Amino acid sequence: MTKILFNCNSYGMSKVCLITVVFVCSIFSSAFVTAAKTAPFKSTLLKVMTYNVRHGTDLHGDISIAKQAAFIKQHNVDLLALQEIDQETKRVNGANQTKYFANSLSLNGLFQPFMIFDGGQYGIAAFSKMPILKSKSITLPNGLEPRSFPLLTVNVETQPLIFVPVHFDWPTNDRARFEQATQLLSQLDIKLPIVLAGDFNDYPDSRTIALFKDAGFSFIVNNTSTFLGPNEGGKSIVEIDFIAVRSGQTTSLSLLESFVFEQHIFSDHAAVLSSILVTQKQINTAY
């Protein structure tokens, strides 16, 4: 610590010196408090992917789950959302697809069933390189199929982050899809940072996407088709798979970039990969 010395031998100068000392100390104290309140923690870069894997089959109906897993593994993701996951159904010969992806990618996995199907279950799955601290399921209004999404809590730099894989209803009529999005938003904690990833089954200019933007979520639109199936909306570009983020009270999330892998070899959807900057700000309330 630097020492500041004042020579105040004169009685007439003592009051001036005292004021000077108080003023200087006040400046140092104010600067220290400001630095303590605004000094950021080390920022962390997360790689997040969403991929509708079509129950592990390609456009020809051939099993492609091993190729899908090998493709995902190349990108060393931190968070992964997979849609159209079969769990021990007859059409995938009883395979536990969530366990297969988790083991193949060395990630922690969680399956969320939508419904009983073909001797097993059908739904979505979420994966995390970080330990999954807790999770809860949100049941949404039914469309042509039932829907429920998991909300996962993971720690990034010791701070909680919510990860939600999504797969909304798919018909051209967006009534159920919009109701599902509205219900999901009502369940999300505004204090915590949130990453949404999945098959939104709606276009960038849709009212469903607008609903999330109005609630503070940021998207990157790539203007590239992410789906090769039937185009009921009549769009030239069918971009319906997205990753979106919303910052929390003390944690900032920034979408830096997004890539669409246009291979479509292993599924009828393309994978979307985003880089997300997570920044914590230290607030020292002791001063």
Side-chain angles (χ1 to χ4, degrees):
M1 178 181 291
T2 303
K3 293 183 178 180
I4 302 175
L5 301 179
F6 295 89
N7 185 1
C8 300
N9 292 329
S10 169
Y11 173 78
M13 293 294 293
S14 61
K15 186 176 295 185
V16 174
C17 287
L18 177 60
I19 294 173
T20 303
V21 171
V22 171
F23 176 71
V24 171
C25 289
S26 175
I27 292 175
F28 275 89
S29 176
S30 176
F32 180 77
V33 171
T34 301
K37 286 186 177 181
T38 60
F41 284 121
K42 181 180 178 181
S43 295
T44 302
L45 191 66
L46 291 182
K47 295 174 70 176
V48 182
M49 178 180 283
T50 180
Y51 193 10
N52 185 322
V53 295
R54 197 174 184 262
H55 55 273
T57 61
D58 62 21
L59 285 171
H60 304 292
D62 296 327
I63 299 295
S64 60
I65 190 170
K67 296 176 182 178
Q68 292 170 348
F71 161 74
I72 296 169
K73 191 171 185 177
Q74 295 174 15
H75 299 284
N76 190 30
V77 298
D78 298 294
L79 295 170
L80 172 67
L82 298 182
Q83 299 85 50
E84 296 194 21
I85 291 290
D86 271 18
Q87 204 77 334
E88 301 174 352
T89 65
K90 293 177 183 177
R91 69 177 174 181
V92 297
N93 300 317
N96 184 324
Q97 292 190 333
T98 303
K99 184 177 181 180
Y100 179 85
F101 279 112
N103 290 341
S104 299
L105 303 172
S106 299
L107 298 174
N108 302 295
L110 177 71
F111 175 68
Q112 175 65 54
F114 286 167
M115 59 187 178
I116 302 297
F117 176 77
D118 198 22
Q121 293 178 307
Y122 168 82
I124 56 178
F127 303 84
S128 171
K129 184 178 293 184
M130 295 75 71
I132 299 171
L133 301 180
K134 61 181 179 179
S135 65
K136 70 174 184 177
S137 175
I138 294 180
T139 300
L140 304 177
N142 285 344
L144 288 184
E145 299 173 347
R147 288 290 189 264
S148 55
F149 299 160
L151 276 67
L152 282 65
T153 302
V154 300
N155 267 357
V156 179
E157 293 292 329
T158 72
Q159 300 298 312
L161 178 145
I162 305 300
F163 179 52
V164 187
V166 303
H167 186 194
F168 292 109
D169 196 38
W170 53 268
T172 302
N173 186 320
D174 71 348
R175 179 192 58 79
R177 185 162 52 251
F178 189 78
E179 290 176 355
Q180 290 166 358
T182 302
Q183 175 69 6
L184 174 61
L185 282 169
S186 73
Q187 300 295 311
L188 298 179
D189 190 337
I190 62 172
K191 298 178 182 178
L192 296 177
I194 299 172
V195 176
L196 303 177
D199 182 353
F200 284 70
N201 265 319
D202 224 332
Y203 302 107
D205 60 352
S206 67
R207 67 169 183 159
T208 299
I209 299 299
L211 190 67
F212 285 100
K213 289 181 177 179
D214 290 343
F217 282 90
S218 299
F219 291 75
I220 290 180
V221 176
N222 289 286
N223 294 310
T224 301
S225 290
T226 63
F227 178 55
L228 284 186
N231 178 11
E232 297 181 359
K235 300 270 187 174
S236 58
I237 295 176
V238 186
E239 186 174 6
I240 59 176
D241 301 84
F242 301 99
I243 294 168
V245 302
R246 185 173 74 185
S247 298
Q249 286 186 343
T250 61
T251 306
S252 172
L253 299 185
S254 302
L255 271 173
L256 301 184
E257 56 189 359
S258 179
F259 299 97
V260 175
F261 295 91
E262 298 184 70
Q263 27 79 24
H264 293 101
I265 299 172
F266 313 129
S267 175
D268 57 351
H269 282 252
V272 179
L273 176 68
S274 292
S275 297
I276 299 172
L277 186 67
V278 182
T279 305
Q280 293 287 337
K281 286 192 174 182
Q282 182 179 10
I283 300 178
N284 191 334
T285 58
Y287 299 93

